[in-house]
Amino acid sequence: MLLAGAFTCLASAPVHAQGGPNPKLPSMTKIKALSVPYFALEFIAAERDFFKKYNLDVEFVTQVAQGSAGIPAIVAGHVQTGQGFGAPPILQARAGGARVTAVYAGITSTYGDFRFYTLADSGIKSAKGLVGRSFGINNFGTYADIALLAYLAKDAIDVTKVRRLTVPLPSMCQALLSKQVDAVAMYSLFYVPCEKDNAGKVVVLAKDSDAIPAAARLYSAYVFADDYIRDNPGVIRAYVAAMRDAADYVNKNAEASKQIIAKRTGISTDKMVVPTFAKDGCIDTTAAAEWVNVMVAHKAIQAGAIAPTIWVTNSFNGACK
């Protein structure tokens, strides 16, 4: 699904860090960031005052639609960044002409942060079992959708043989239990409570990283518009530093971090897991290039639309080599 018409086509050029190495801004600077319910480092950074430490005041704006839907708001300057977008929507947006660049790597799907589920008695045991059945995704072209395409491709299954239906992420578990769909894709903030509340009724069909190995090294990333990066390098550096502090806090204070996420999402701490995060927020450029190949292979973007690593940079992250 190409998004070429969704953005104004502009020349793509890599962005580079400017200015000195000190990440703290000279005065308090306000930015806006899109947010969705998940185990978000930005929520940790806000609650623990890591943003304030670097003179950043981050206002969260709730994003209703998933996938690339929030990126036009970033390009237009209505907000400066968003939640950790999965690689697919970033690449689709960039291929469609949106000049955005990932500056910080978030969650890695080392253990399958996005998983496919079906009912224990559905008879579905593999990708072949999905032929003629329905599958719930949060939207077409989203991370879950691309992961599903990759999963089907491993068994050479024509995607048109599976009925993909859009279901809001918070409703995925109930849609599966009520048999509105035969299988669903959920990430950890939703599948953990679904599993715990319905032990023996739902089973894992596959993990995203089974179909897309690159997801174990690059799963989500934080983007800013290239124009904003060029004009505000200090803000990017401060944001990256705050997020790095937040990740360090989570690694050392798992239970306290759960409490923060519970406060922000309404999900109890006993029904969530602490995800793994990219070391120091450094973006794996090899995985970034692999993601471009994945997207081309599944016709989500055109071959040659994006240079393998033009959509990412570690230039603002002093912890990366």
Side-chain angles (χ1 to χ4, degrees):
M1 178 175 15
L2 300 177
L3 300 179
F7 304 96
T8 302
C9 290
L10 299 169
S12 296
V15 294
H16 300 286
Q18 305 169 32
N22 185 1
K24 185 173 182 178
L25 292 163
S27 60
M28 189 62 69
T29 302
K30 186 171 183 176
I31 66 171
K32 293 182 179 181
L34 296 170
S35 70
V36 296
Y38 78 117
F39 204 110
L41 284 180
E42 57 269 33
F43 294 161
I44 305 294
E47 290 284 338
R48 298 299 303 176
D49 288 340
F50 294 129
F51 286 134
K52 288 184 179 179
K53 173 182 174 181
Y54 297 100
N55 274 339
L56 269 181
D57 178 8
V58 180
E59 176 187 345
F60 294 114
V61 179
T62 301
Q63 178 181 330
V64 178
Q66 296 285 313
S68 61
I71 294 181
I74 295 174
V75 175
H78 300 312
V79 296
Q80 283 64 59
T81 189
Q83 76 280 2
F85 287 103
I90 300 172
L91 287 167
Q92 286 184 310
R94 182 101 193 186
R99 293 183 62 183
V100 294
T101 298
V103 301
Y104 187 88
I107 296 170
T108 57
S109 195
T110 310
Y111 305 106
D113 192 67
F114 235 114
R115 299 181 181 182
F116 303 154
Y117 283 81
T118 189
L119 294 177
D121 60 0
S122 69
I124 301 173
K125 306 296 183 184
S126 66
K128 293 179 180 179
L130 291 173
V131 173
R133 310 294 283 274
S134 58
F135 194 104
I137 54 172
N138 52 319
N139 212 340
F140 295 99
T142 57
Y143 182 93
D145 192 32
I146 300 300
L148 173 61
L149 297 182
Y151 177 60
L152 296 174
K154 286 185 68 175
D155 281 351
I157 295 171
D158 183 349
V159 67
T160 63
K161 304 297 183 183
V162 179
R163 287 183 293 121
R164 291 177 291 163
L165 303 176
T166 56
V167 179
L169 272 167
S171 303
M172 285 289 184
C173 185
Q174 185 55 41
L176 179 62
L177 292 169
S178 61
K179 299 186 179 181
Q180 296 176 54
V181 288
D182 297 305
V184 297
M186 296 183 284
Y187 60 80
S188 57
L189 203 65
F190 295 105
Y191 73 61
V192 173
C194 186
E195 281 186 346
K196 290 196 172 186
D197 291 342
N198 303 281
K201 294 181 181 179
V202 299
V203 293
V204 178
L205 184 60
K207 301 174 182 178
D208 58 349
S209 49
D210 295 335
I212 307 175
R217 290 171 287 125
L218 178 57
Y219 171 50
S220 70
Y222 295 82
V223 304
F224 286 78
D226 288 3
D227 287 347
Y228 188 84
I229 294 173
R230 181 197 63 214
D231 296 339
N232 302 276
V235 173
I236 309 306
R237 193 175 291 110
Y239 186 86
V240 166
M243 294 291 276
R244 201 167 59 234
D245 285 357
D248 184 59
Y249 178 85
V250 173
N251 290 336
K252 295 175 180 176
N253 303 276
E255 292 306 313
S257 297
K258 284 184 179 182
Q259 293 287 347
I260 293 172
I261 300 303
K263 174 183 174 182
R264 292 279 182 165
T265 64
I267 295 176
S268 68
T269 57
D270 66 335
K271 293 180 179 178
M272 68 173 70
V273 294
V274 178
T276 56
F277 296 97
K279 181 174 173 53
D280 295 321
C282 298
I283 299 171
D284 186 317
T285 55
T286 301
E290 290 173 17
W291 265 113
V292 172
N293 293 335
V294 168
M295 296 293 282
V296 170
H298 299 296
K299 298 180 172 60
I301 63 174
Q302 293 179 347
I306 303 175
T309 59
I310 197 171
W311 62 286
V312 301
T313 182
N314 285 314
S315 298
F316 300 91
N317 192 336
C320 307
K321 295 180 180 179

